[in-house]
């Protein structure tokens, strides 16, 4: 019969042992399990003994290594002492003086530098040995702490406390190790192998420490009741409840549970900060910002269970995506305050630089939504659109796509307002903005962005077709409330406003995209073709008018004038847009995609060279070229009619030898031409915008001046006194036609005016012109005529004695 072992006196037992016995031997049922419990305890004791043996072996190996280092250092220092002793005896020896200083020179020139080099080498070895031993000790502490946290045989109530303590020690050792490695990297770059060896061991420890820390964090969240129930928020109208009515487990936790969660959250943040520091050191010299900023681990653990729970609700609302956006926004808004009030102080305490809990929470929730859209919603729509393109049967896929994009844009605006409430908007550049935008789906999938732009363009062109076919839109002027101030000055038809309104809508949707390249790509695919369509329409209308009547009909001239007005108004609006930072950002990047698109679609006629900073610079230049071409054509058409009507007037050379008809201020043969000129210019002034009309009348004035000068003054006609008076009266009436638009119209007829000036000069004064040449012309204010032209006019002047 086996002897029964008696328990030792209670006074000799530790408090933990008493607690253990009280937990397991409180009643008879536990007594029946005593044998099995004793077996388990023996197994645990054997495991602990084995761990202790392994630790002793590790300590023994480290002591042996330390002894080896010490022996080597002792030998090196012994060599140094011997050499120093030899040096001292050599410098004190009389022979060193008697030999003429040769020995001293040898010592100073050869032995001292060698000795200094040896001392430096010994110091380097000593520093290396101390650093290596220090790092070995710290990494050993890290590995021991990690091993302790991974021990699954400890009792559960002691596991939590032990794990947290060991994790704290591991993080502390990690911090010290990283500080040493950072110093070594900067001051001793030749010790790269030591750093690599330590990094390898630390990486193995972190590979076990981080998953365990996250597992403990998840267990704490589960004990808090996280994630909260979403069924109450997933009603058909989630916005009816306020955030104060929604239970928040983060605010309701109390006592030890709250303390444990905060400590665990803090430890996870510190571990992430250490990981960030390690990556920063390892990626020195590379593009570190891209790789360093990772989502906040602790916030990800809050969002992941919510994302899983939300999937069940999302799957029910495939045909009602507005409910999905509403629920995600509701959850994001309801719990964002706890991020600021409870968790942000912990992040600040962990000195996790560059992280905002509010921004990380919002970003993680938006990422959850974007991921679901990319995996479950958009692929369905893409398949439907592909099927529609194959079968040719119209479906609701495109309408659903545009509706979904509208929801995404609206959602992003509401999310952005949540970020702005904390003043974080200033930090949101392209990278951060992409994290809080559901439209980042299109940044990751350029093919979907192209498809969206194609759908937008198709929808826009269908709307514009009705506007273009309505002839009233080409005659009715732009109404009040146009896109730019003073639009009435351009006298633009309403169709230009319709084009600009739809182009502005495309631009507004483009603004919602979170990155500049995606905006540029969308605008080049959905915006540029709208402008090109507008230019094509203007060109076709002008060519039709020119082809039918050669612009001799008033209606044809009005059609061209309206097209010029539309182009000028369009050009002015685009010019104002290009001054906006939104467009300048895209223009500064030279927008290669837009240039490529315009080059393919428009051909070599489209200007693609230049260094303009606006994305629409090429478009504006093309509109300007269109206006210049057709304004010049209007001037040419009016000049052609004027020339036809005054042909008899210019052919009649005898009239310059006669006086003007009585009671006539102008030659009768010129009256019809002047009346035509005034009528056409009045009609054009009433239909064409003021800026382009100035170009028309100035161009026409220059052409008429050249016509009269060549047709009359250069025609070898003889001018008598009466003819000079007649020609002066005719020019004065001609100037009167243009006096409505300038104070000194004669300045726009320089050749005719100066020719008349020469004709009015006296005979004695003109005789000096033959000898004086250019000097005489300059003295008499003749600057627009050549010497040859002046001499020809003077030659044809006839004076009666």
């Amino acid at each position: 019969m086996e002897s029964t072992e008696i328990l030792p006196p209670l006074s000799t037992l530790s408090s933990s042992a008493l607690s253990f016995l009280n937990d397991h031997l409180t009643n008879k049922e536990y007594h029946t399990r005593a044998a099995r419990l004793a077996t388990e305890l023996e197994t645990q004791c054997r495991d602990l003994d084995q761990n202790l043996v392994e630790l002793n072996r590790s300590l023994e190996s480290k002591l042996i290594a330390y002894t080896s280092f010490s022996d080597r250092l002792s030998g090196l220092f012994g060599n140094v002492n011997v050499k120093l002793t030899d040096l001292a005896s050599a410098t004190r020896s009389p022979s060193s003086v008697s030999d003429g200083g040769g020995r001293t020179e040898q010592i100073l020139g050869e032995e001292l530098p060698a000795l200094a080099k040896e001392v430096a080498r010994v110091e380097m070895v000593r520093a290396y040995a101390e650093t290596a031993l220090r790092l070995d000790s710290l990494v050993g502490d890290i590995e021991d702490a990690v091993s302790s946290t991974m021990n699954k045989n400890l009792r559960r109530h002691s596991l939590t406390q032990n794990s947290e303590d060991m994790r704290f020690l591991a993080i502390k050792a990690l911090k010290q190790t990283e500080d040493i490695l950072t110093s070594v990297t900067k001051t001793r770059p030749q010790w790269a192998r030591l750093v690599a060896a330590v990094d390898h061991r630390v990486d193995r420890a972190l590979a076990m420490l981080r998953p365990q820390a996250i597992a403990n964090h998840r267990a704490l969240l589960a004990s808090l009741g996280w994630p909260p129930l979403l069924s109450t928020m997933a009603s058909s109208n989630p916005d009816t409840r306020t955030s104060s009515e929604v239970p928040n487990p983060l605010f309701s936790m109390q006592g030890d549970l709250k303390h444990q969660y905060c400590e665990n959250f803090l430890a996870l943040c510190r571990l992430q900060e250490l990981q960030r520091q390690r990556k920063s050191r390892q990626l020195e010299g590379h593009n570190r910002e891209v790789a360093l900023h990772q989502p906040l681990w602790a916030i990800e653990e809050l969002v992941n269970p919510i994302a899983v729970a939300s999937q069940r609700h999302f799957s029910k609302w495939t045909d009602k995506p507005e409910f999905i956006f509403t629920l995600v926004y509701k959850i994001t808004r309801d719990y964002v305050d706890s991020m600021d009030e409870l968790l942000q102080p912990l992040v600040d305490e962990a000195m996790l630089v560059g992280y905002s809990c509010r921004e990380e929470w919002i970003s993680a929730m938006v990422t959850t939504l974007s991921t679901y859209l990319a995996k479950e919603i958009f692929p369905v729509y893409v398949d439907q659109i592909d099927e529609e393109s194959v079968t040719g049967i119209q479906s609701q896929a495109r309408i659903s796509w545009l509706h979904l994009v509208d929801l995404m844009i609206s959602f992003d605006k509401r999310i952005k307002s949540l970020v702005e409430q904390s003043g974080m908007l200033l930090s949101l550049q392209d990278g951060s903005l992409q994290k809080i935008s559901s439209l980042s789906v299109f940044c990751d999938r350029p093919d979907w962005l192209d498809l969206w732009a194609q759908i937008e363009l198709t929808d826009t062109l269908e709307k514009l077709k009705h506007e273009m076919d309505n002839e009233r839109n080409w005659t009715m002027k732009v109404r009040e409330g146009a896109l730019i101030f003073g639009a009435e000055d351009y006298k633009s038809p309403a169709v230009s406003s319709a084009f600009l309104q739809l182009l502005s809508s495309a631009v507004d949707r483009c603004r919602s995209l979170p990155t500049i390249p995606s905006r540029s790509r969308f605008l080049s695919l959905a915006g540029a073709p709208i402008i090109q369509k507008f230019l094509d329409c203007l060109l076709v209308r002008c060519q039709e008018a020119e082809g039918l009547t050669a612009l001799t009909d008033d209606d044809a001239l009005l059609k061209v004038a309206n097209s010029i007005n539309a182009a000028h108004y369009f050009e002015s609006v685009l010019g104002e847009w290009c001054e906006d930072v939104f467009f300048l950002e895209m223009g500064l990047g030279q927008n290669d995609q837009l240039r490529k698109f315009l080059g393919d679609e428009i051909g070599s006629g489209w200007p693609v060279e230049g260094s303009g900073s606006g994305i629409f610079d090429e478009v504006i230049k093309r509109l300007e070229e269109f206006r210049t071409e057709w304004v010049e054509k209007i001037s040419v058409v009016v000049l052609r009619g004027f020339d036809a009507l005054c042909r008899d007037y210019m052919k009649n050379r005898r009239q310059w030898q006669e006086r003007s008809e009585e009671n006539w201020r102008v030659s009768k043969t010129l009256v019809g031409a002047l009346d035509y000129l005034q009528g056409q210019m009045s009609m054009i002034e009433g239909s064409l915008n003021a800026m382009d009309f100035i170009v028309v009348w100035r161009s026409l004035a220059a052409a008429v001046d050249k016509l009269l000068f060549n047709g009359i003054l250069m025609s070898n006609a003889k001018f008598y006194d009466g003819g000079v008076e007649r020609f002066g009266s005719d020019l004065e009436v001609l100037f009167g036609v243009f006096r409505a638009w300038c104070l000194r119209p004669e300045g726009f007829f320089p050749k005719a005016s100066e020719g008349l000036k020469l004709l009015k000069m006296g005979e004695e004064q003109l005789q000096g012109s033959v000898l004086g040449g250019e000097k005489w012309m300059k003295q008499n204010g003749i600057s627009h005529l050549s010497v040859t032209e002046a001499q020809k006019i003077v030659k044809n002047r006839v004076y009666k004695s």
Side-chain angles (χ1 to χ4, degrees):
M1 181 177 181
E2 298 181 358
S3 60
T4 302
E5 296 184 6
I6 302 175
L7 290 173
L10 294 178
S11 59
T12 61
L13 297 177
S14 64
S15 59
S16 59
L18 287 174
S19 176
F20 178 82
L21 294 173
N22 289 332
D23 290 344
H24 291 81
L25 302 176
T26 55
N27 52 45
K28 293 181 179 181
E29 293 181 1
Y30 288 120
H31 294 170
T32 59
R33 296 167 50 193
R36 187 174 60 181
L37 182 60
T39 303
E40 293 178 357
L41 290 175
E42 289 176 357
T43 303
Q44 293 181 12
C45 288
R46 283 196 301 272
D47 292 340
L48 292 175
D49 290 340
Q50 182 64 30
N51 289 338
L52 182 60
V53 170
E54 292 176 357
L55 290 174
N56 286 332
R57 290 175 181 171
S58 176
L59 179 60
E60 182 180 356
S61 64
K62 291 177 181 178
L63 290 174
I64 293 173
Y66 179 75
T67 302
S68 175
F69 277 118
S70 299
D71 291 342
R72 290 177 59 192
L73 287 175
S74 178
L76 292 171
F77 279 118
N79 293 335
V80 172
N81 287 332
V82 170
K83 291 186 178 183
L84 289 175
T85 302
D86 293 342
L87 178 62
S89 62
T91 55
R92 290 194 300 269
S93 173
S95 63
S96 63
V97 179
S98 62
D99 64 2
R103 175 61 177 163
T104 302
E105 291 179 358
Q106 180 183 4
I107 292 172
L108 294 176
E110 299 177 7
E111 297 184 7
L112 271 180
L115 180 61
K117 185 176 181 180
E118 182 67 17
V119 171
R121 189 180 71 83
V122 171
E123 176 62 23
M124 177 72 74
V125 172
R126 183 190 64 80
Y128 184 88
E130 290 181 352
T131 303
L133 287 173
R134 177 60 176 158
L135 288 172
D136 185 66
S137 175
L138 287 172
V139 174
D141 293 341
I142 295 171
E143 292 171 342
D144 292 343
V146 172
S147 177
S148 297
T149 59
M150 297 296 293
N151 191 342
K152 300 296 185 179
N153 295 322
L154 295 175
R155 295 175 62 239
R156 183 167 297 278
H157 76 272
S158 62
L159 172 63
T160 302
Q161 188 62 34
N162 256 341
S163 296
E164 294 299 330
D165 294 342
M166 290 297 101
R167 190 174 296 113
F168 175 78
L169 293 176
I171 292 174
K172 184 178 179 182
L174 277 168
K175 174 63 176 172
Q176 295 174 352
T177 303
E178 185 57 34
D179 291 342
I180 295 175
L181 291 178
T182 301
S183 176
V184 168
T185 302
K186 293 179 179 179
T187 59
R188 308 283 190 182
Q190 65 271 27
W191 295 356
R193 291 186 178 181
L194 174 63
V195 174
V198 174
D199 274 340
H200 178 67
R201 292 178 64 184
V202 171
D203 286 338
R204 286 193 304 175
L206 284 174
M208 294 184 288
L209 183 61
R210 179 188 170 186
Q212 185 61 31
I214 291 178
N216 290 349
H217 191 76
R218 291 174 179 173
L220 273 173
L221 285 175
S223 63
L224 289 174
W226 192 272
L229 293 176
L230 303 182
S231 57
T232 56
M233 289 185 286
S235 62
S236 60
N237 191 9
D239 273 339
T240 57
R241 294 165 59 102
T242 62
S243 59
S244 59
E245 297 175 356
V246 178
N248 189 340
L250 297 179
F251 278 144
S252 60
M253 59 182 177
Q254 300 292 334
D256 292 340
L257 195 58
K258 181 177 182 179
H259 176 75
Q260 289 179 16
Y261 176 77
C262 292
E263 288 296 323
N264 192 277
F265 186 94
L266 191 60
L268 206 56
C269 290
R270 285 173 174 163
L271 191 61
Q272 184 168 1
E273 173 61 15
L274 283 171
Q275 183 76 345
R276 189 196 66 81
Q277 292 177 5
R278 285 172 52 76
K279 289 296 182 183
S280 177
R281 170 176 55 80
Q282 294 169 350
L283 294 174
E284 186 71 36
H286 299 79
N287 189 5
R288 295 185 297 172
E289 296 302 322
V290 175
L292 287 184
H293 192 92
Q294 296 181 347
L296 200 57
W297 297 344
I299 299 298
E300 278 191 322
E301 295 308 316
L302 288 173
V303 174
N304 288 339
I306 289 182
V308 174
S310 300
Q311 298 286 332
R312 297 191 298 270
H313 300 289
F314 291 170
S315 60
K316 302 175 185 177
W317 297 332
T318 304
D319 297 332
K320 296 288 185 180
E322 57 269 19
F323 291 165
I324 297 176
F325 288 93
T326 303
L327 178 60
V328 173
Y329 176 75
K330 173 69 174 173
I331 298 173
T332 306
R333 185 194 63 185
D334 287 344
Y335 296 98
V336 74
D337 292 337
S338 58
M339 304 298 143
D340 288 337
E341 299 174 18
L342 178 64
L343 302 184
Q344 186 62 44
L346 298 177
V347 172
D348 296 339
E349 184 179 348
M351 292 186 290
L352 198 54
V353 180
Y355 281 94
S356 162
C357 283
R358 171 184 282 263
E359 186 177 332
E360 292 297 321
W361 165 258
I362 293 174
S363 171
M365 289 298 300
V366 173
T367 300
T368 297
L369 173 63
S370 300
T371 303
Y372 182 80
L373 294 176
K375 289 184 177 180
E376 303 295 337
I377 303 297
F378 275 107
V380 176
Y381 289 173
V382 171
D383 291 341
Q384 292 176 353
I385 293 173
D386 290 342
E387 182 180 353
E388 175 183 317
S389 61
V390 172
T391 61
I393 302 176
Q394 294 290 335
S395 68
Q396 295 294 318
R398 296 176 182 270
I399 298 175
S400 300
W401 183 290
L402 294 177
H403 176 59
L404 180 61
V405 171
D406 289 337
L407 293 174
M408 295 170 74
I409 293 174
S410 176
F411 174 81
D412 286 353
K413 290 179 179 178
R414 299 170 74 187
I415 286 294
K416 190 176 179 181
S417 68
L418 284 182
V419 181
E420 289 175 346
Q421 292 173 10
S422 65
M424 293 300 300
L425 186 61
L426 294 178
S427 69
L428 295 181
Q429 301 303 324
D430 264 1
S432 298
L433 194 60
Q434 188 172 349
K435 296 192 306 180
I436 63 164
S437 173
S438 62
L439 290 170
S440 60
V441 171
F442 295 109
C443 301
D444 300 329
R445 291 294 301 266
D447 54 329
W448 290 355
L449 179 66
D450 295 351
L451 182 56
W452 174 26
Q454 178 188 349
I455 294 173
E456 289 282 356
L457 177 61
T458 303
D459 182 66
T460 301
L461 293 180
E462 287 178 357
K463 295 176 181 177
L464 285 173
K465 189 176 184 303
H466 173 72
E467 300 290 340
M468 290 185 294
D469 293 342
N470 187 354
E471 193 62 29
R472 292 184 67 252
N473 288 332
W474 292 97
T475 56
M476 184 175 61
K477 304 304 179 184
V478 172
R479 298 177 293 274
E480 295 183 2
L483 292 178
I484 62 172
F485 179 76
E488 63 277 1
D489 295 338
Y490 296 98
K491 300 180 180 179
S492 178
V495 69
S496 60
S497 181
F499 268 88
L500 282 169
Q501 290 287 356
L502 291 173
L503 178 61
S504 176
S505 176
V507 170
D508 288 341
R509 295 168 81 78
C510 167
R511 289 178 186 272
S512 302
L513 287 166
T515 63
I516 292 176
S518 59
R519 297 171 201 158
S520 177
R521 186 179 182 88
F522 179 86
L523 198 57
S524 68
L525 296 175
I530 297 175
I531 304 173
Q532 181 58 37
K533 182 67 175 179
F534 180 70
L535 279 170
D536 290 343
C537 289
L538 297 182
L539 186 60
V540 167
R541 290 182 64 83
C542 290
Q543 289 175 342
E544 287 178 351
E546 184 182 33
L548 290 175
T549 65
L551 301 184
T552 57
D553 184 68
D554 288 351
D555 291 337
L557 273 180
L558 287 175
K559 182 178 288 190
V560 172
N562 282 333
S563 297
I564 294 173
N565 293 342
H568 204 150
Y569 177 52
F570 214 93
E571 176 187 337
S572 301
V573 174
L574 294 181
E576 286 200 356
W577 285 1
C578 286
E579 296 176 3
D580 192 290
V581 175
F582 173 77
F583 291 98
L584 289 175
E585 287 177 340
M586 290 186 284
L588 290 174
Q590 293 301 310
N591 194 11
D592 294 334
Q593 293 175 352
L594 179 59
R595 290 173 178 271
K596 180 178 183 301
F597 173 81
L598 294 178
D600 293 342
E601 291 296 320
I602 300 169
S604 59
W606 192 280
V608 295
E609 299 295 332
S611 57
S613 60
I615 191 172
F616 290 133
D617 282 353
E618 289 87 355
V619 181
I620 293 174
K621 188 174 182 180
R622 183 62 183 270
L623 287 167
E624 185 179 357
E625 290 175 352
F626 169 82
R627 287 192 302 106
T628 302
E629 177 185 355
W630 287 95
V631 163
E632 183 64 27
K633 286 190 176 184
I634 289 178
S635 300
V636 169
V637 167
V638 177
L639 177 66
R640 192 184 301 126
F642 178 80
D643 181 27
L645 292 173
C646 68
R647 195 162 297 165
D648 293 339
Y649 170 74
M650 288 187 291
K651 287 182 178 180
N652 186 5
R653 298 182 181 182
R654 293 182 58 83
Q655 63 182 328
W656 310 123
Q657 302 175 16
E658 304 171 353
R659 302 182 65 86
S660 301
E661 296 91 336
E662 294 183 3
N663 302 324
W664 283 88
R665 290 183 56 199
V666 61
S667 300
K668 292 181 180 180
T669 53
L670 185 61
V671 172
L674 292 176
D675 182 64
Y676 166 82
L677 181 64
Q678 186 172 25
Q680 290 295 101
M681 293 305 292
S682 297
M683 186 270 295
I684 294 173
E685 182 183 17
S687 58
L688 193 63
N689 67 86
M691 288 73 77
D692 287 318
F693 177 70
I694 292 174
V695 178
V696 169
W697 74 255
R698 287 185 176 182
S699 175
L700 185 60
V704 170
D705 178 52
K706 184 177 180 181
L707 176 69
L708 296 179
F709 179 78
N710 292 328
I712 297 176
L713 296 179
M714 294 289 104
S715 65
N716 294 322
K718 302 298 182 180
F719 279 86
Y720 288 75
D721 291 343
V724 172
E725 181 181 353
R726 175 192 289 267
F727 185 62
S729 298
D730 291 345
L731 286 184
E732 184 62 29
V733 176
L734 175 65
F735 295 160
V737 175
F738 290 88
R739 191 165 281 116
W741 310 301
C742 61
L743 295 177
R744 294 185 66 256
E746 57 271 18
F748 296 94
F749 297 84
K751 286 183 172 290
S753 297
E754 291 183 359
L756 178 63
K757 185 177 182 179
L758 285 174
L759 293 176
K760 286 183 177 181
M761 289 183 182
E763 185 175 5
E764 298 79 6
Q765 188 177 4
L766 288 179
Q767 288 177 353
S769 66
V770 178
L771 301 176
E774 291 184 0
K775 183 178 180 182
W776 180 89
M777 293 175 61
K778 185 176 181 181
Q779 290 175 348
N780 288 272
I782 308 298
S783 59
H784 293 85
L785 301 180
S786 66
V787 175
T788 303
E789 291 172 340
Q791 290 177 349
K792 188 172 183 178
I793 293 173
V794 171
K795 181 181 178 181
N796 291 324
R797 180 69 167 94
V798 179
Y799 295 93
K800 286 187 177 181
S801 56

